Amino acid sequence: MSWLLQMIEQYGIAAVFANVLVEQAGAPIPAYPTLVLTGALAADGRYAASTLLLVAVLAALIADTGWYLAGRRYGRGILALLCRLSLSADSCVRQTEGAFVRWGAASLMVAKFIPGFASLASALAGATGTSVLAFLLFDAIGAVLWAGSALYLGTLFSSTVDDLLRVLEQLGRGGLLLLALVLAVFIAGKWWQRYRFMRSLRMARISVDELYQMLQQGEKPLVVDVRAPQSQAQGRIPGAITIGPDFSEFVAGDIPLADEVIVYCACPNEASAALVARELLKRGYTRVRPLQGGIDAWREAGYATDGTP
């Protein structure tokens, strides 16, 4: 354990850079505790807080710029990849995109404080055409606020952190194992949360070909688009309606319970559509199915979209 502490003291700046870079790249290895720890060491004069802040911001900008450029090149495809890799179950539902659409590039200032949102926000900035200057400005502000708050907490509670380090040092190898156990439990907890989330989405789907045939044969299922407004403006399945987050359109009884409801989104595993479908089933609708592949599968099949609001 003393060896680990010596490594932190000797290579703290490199550790901060590597940890922040890896976390912002999407790995479930929290960098905030490392920043708090090095902030406490800075309070003892072992590091310059300004250097730690600069290194953390630089690492965050490098990782975020990578996701931004990927978003510009691959569009929503890179978002699908991020959602599949993420351990945060709530990072890929429509609220994530809705937050970015509502606040725009300014949401980057708080993205790092929201688990699972930082990488997605950077990729969304690229996919939605945010200018490089605006991206770098707001992302840098967000990185400064995020890293600066951790370093400040470290200096504020430096005596407490020092006591904790002394306890871990006294524990020797057991202290190192304890740290490894905490990290393992954190990752396992996130994985289990995602596993339960994905299990909850299991329900019967309808293919785009089936839906197209239904529409061609004159059947009139209720088609619901649950994407963010900006995405909806780029085209919807003909006849699709949108619903608000409070489901007021359904609560008002405007839509008969006997009608079949098809819900679609533009996210991996139809996550947003399945969540809305589950909510509608709770409200008494008995025939609700997510559209397999969502709007992307509909377009890939060559079927037309309606851009009318």
Side-chain angles (χ1 to χ4, degrees), residues 17 22 25 28 67 102 120 132 162 183 207-208 228 236 246 309:
F17 180 85
V22 168
W67 287 120
R102 181 178 180 183
L120 277 171
V132 175
D162 288 339
L183 178 60
S207 70
V208 293
R236 300 201 299 264
D246 58 355

Side-chain angles (χ1 to χ4, degrees), residues 64-296:
D64 294 344
T65 301
W67 287 120
Y68 170 80
L69 294 175
R72 292 195 69 167
R73 180 177 178 84
Y74 300 107
R76 296 193 62 88
I78 198 66
L79 302 181
L81 173 63
L82 273 169
C83 287
R84 290 189 178 97
L85 294 177
S86 175
L87 289 177
S88 298
D90 59 346
S91 65
C92 299
V93 295
R94 62 174 177 166
Q95 286 82 357
T96 298
E97 186 177 3
F100 186 86
V101 169
R102 181 178 180 183
W103 301 106
S107 64
L108 292 165
M109 293 190 293
V110 297
K112 290 176 176 54
F113 293 97
I114 305 173
F117 186 42
S119 300
L120 277 171
S122 298
L124 275 168
T128 55
T130 302
S131 69
V132 175
L133 183 60
F135 167 75
L136 291 175
L137 174 63
F138 288 113
D139 195 57
I141 293 174
V144 169
L145 293 175
W146 173 73
S149 66
L151 294 172
Y152 176 72
L153 286 175
T155 59
L156 191 64
F157 298 101
S158 59
S159 59
T160 303
V161 174
D162 288 339
D163 292 340
L164 176 60
L165 289 176
R166 279 193 291 270
V167 171
L168 291 175
E169 188 172 10
Q170 291 172 1
L171 290 174
R173 182 175 297 180
L176 181 59
L177 292 175
L178 179 61
L179 290 177
L181 178 63
V182 170
L183 178 60
V185 169
F186 172 80
I187 295 176
K190 283 290 185 179
W191 178 86
W192 178 248
Q193 184 183 22
R194 177 178 174 83
Y195 173 75
R196 291 183 59 191
F197 175 73
M198 297 309 298
R199 279 196 64 182
S200 70
L201 301 183
R202 293 178 182 173
M203 61 177 64
R205 261 71 165 168
I206 182 174
S207 70
V208 293
D209 293 331
E210 289 178 284
L211 176 58
Y212 180 77
Q213 291 300 323
M214 291 175 66
L215 296 176
Q216 289 295 103
Q217 293 170 6
E219 299 182 44
K220 296 183 178 180
L222 180 67
V223 183
V224 181
D225 188 334
V226 299
R227 296 174 298 156
Q230 187 178 41
S231 298
Q232 295 169 2
Q234 298 173 1
R236 300 201 299 264
I237 292 176
I241 69 166
T242 62
I243 59 174
D246 58 355
F247 295 88
S248 58
E249 299 86 349
F250 291 88
V251 176
D254 298 332
I255 303 167
L257 295 179
D259 285 351
E260 180 163 13
V261 183
I262 310 299
V263 189
Y264 73 90
C265 60
C267 47
N269 306 303
E270 300 81 52
S272 299
L275 288 172
V276 173
R278 283 175 53 207
E279 183 63 30
L280 294 178
L281 288 170
K282 291 179 183 178
R283 293 172 182 268
Y285 293 85
T286 57
R287 301 175 64 195
V288 185
R289 288 186 287 174
L291 179 64
Q292 188 170 11
I295 188 69
D296 295 329

